[in-house]
Amino acid sequence: ALPLVALPLVVLPLVVAVAAAIVARRDRDPVRDRLEHVAAGERVADLGAAPGGWTWAAARRGARVWAVDNGPLKQGAAGHPAVEHVKADAFAWRPPVRADWLLCDIVDDPRHVLELLRHWCREHWCRRIVANFKYGRADPLALLAAVRGPRGLAPFTPELVCRHLFH
């Protein structure tokens, strides 16, 4: 079987729902670092896309993006020629073809988001993932253990990178 992930699968947990979080090492942003690997012509699925920050970052690099969110896109993502705004439930939407990247910034129970990511991995709908988990009321250590465990994302990738983002 072909390897599912060409680059490390990246799961970026957040304490709060802030996409532009500051990391413990304040000189680096691991989300931006990973998005720098998105190449022109690649296909990106951005689940929980609104208002469109990650969508715009991928489109700006030349990727074709499905921005999946019932909410409106704003600023650079809205009306961008490389962006298709799919007004749909991110948990129900399925890509018409395999994506190179899955970007996931859904505000929901992190266990539901983890199961969604596992589904994408099982179906081979993407090659790489960058995801934010919103802890909310979930225990962050238990969530990280679940993500890294055999019922999490570890079975789908030889390398799993997790970062705890906070502001």
Side-chain angles (χ1 to χ4, degrees):
L2 294 174
L4 177 64
V5 179
L7 290 176
L9 182 67
V10 181
V11 179
L12 302 167
L14 288 177
V15 174
V16 294
V18 177
I22 299 171
V23 242
R25 286 185 54 214
R26 296 182 187 276
D27 60 329
R28 300 302 303 248
D29 179 344
V31 173
R32 189 183 68 236
D33 290 350
R34 290 297 170 195
L35 291 181
E36 288 177 0
H37 292 289
V38 174
E42 288 188 309
R43 179 52 92 170
V44 175
D46 185 359
L47 304 182
W54 286 10
T55 293
W56 179 77
R60 181 180 66 169
R61 300 192 59 72
R64 294 165 297 148
V65 184
W66 294 298
V68 183
D69 202 305
N70 282 313
L73 297 179
K74 297 180 181 176
Q75 299 143 352
H80 193 288
V83 174
E84 178 184 343
H85 186 189
V86 180
K87 293 184 179 181
D89 177 356
F91 287 95
W93 182 79
R94 303 296 177 249
V97 297
R98 186 178 189 198
D100 296 293
W101 291 86
L102 169 60
L103 309 179
C104 184
D105 196 20
I106 297 172
V107 180
D108 202 315
D109 182 315
R111 294 166 295 201
H112 296 154
V113 174
L114 177 57
E115 186 49 42
L116 175 65
L117 299 179
R118 286 180 49 80
H119 188 73
W120 273 69
C121 290
R122 278 192 306 270
E123 298 297 327
H124 299 272
W125 287 341
C126 62
R127 295 188 309 126
R128 301 175 194 99
I129 294 174
V130 178
N132 276 340
F133 285 93
K134 277 61 169 183
Y135 291 136
R137 294 188 179 119
D139 174 7
L141 295 179
L143 176 60
L144 285 174
V147 168
R148 291 180 173 144
R151 301 183 115 206
L153 298 175
F156 301 105
T157 180
E159 184 177 351
L160 179 63
V161 178
C162 297
R163 298 282 188 266
H164 181 181
L165 306 181
F166 61 93
H167 65 83

